[in-house]
Amino acid sequence: MSASEKAKAKVEQVKGTAKKEAGRSVGNEGMIAKGQAKQSKGAAREAKEKVKDTFKDRG
C-alpha cells in the first residue's frame, strides 16, 4: 500500500469518527450518518489498497 493512500484512508476514518461523535454529542442524526459514511469510505479505501498489495506481491 502506498504511504500516501494509507494516510488518506486513515485520515478519512479519523475525520469520520470525529464527525460521528460530534453529531452524537449534539444529537444530530444527519451528522452521525455523514460521519459514519466517511468512516466507512476510509475503511473501504484501506481494504482496496490491501487487496492491490496482495495481488502485487503474488505477481
Side-chain angles (χ1 to χ4, degrees):
M1 178 185 296
S2 73
S4 65
E5 288 299 315
K6 183 178 182 181
K8 285 180 189 177
K10 288 295 181 188
V11 167
E12 199 160 36
Q13 289 175 5
V14 170
K15 283 183 178 180
T17 300
K19 189 170 195 168
K20 182 174 74 172
E21 293 305 318
R24 198 173 276 155
S25 69
V26 297
N28 184 332
E29 293 293 323
M31 186 181 264
I32 294 169
K34 286 180 182 177
Q36 181 63 48
K38 190 170 200 85
Q39 186 178 12
S40 296
K41 186 177 175 185
R45 180 190 302 249
E46 185 175 20
K48 177 189 82 169
E49 291 300 319
K50 285 182 180 180
V51 168
K52 283 172 46 178
D53 283 348
T54 299
F55 284 107
K56 186 180 189 181
D57 292 341
R58 290 185 181 194

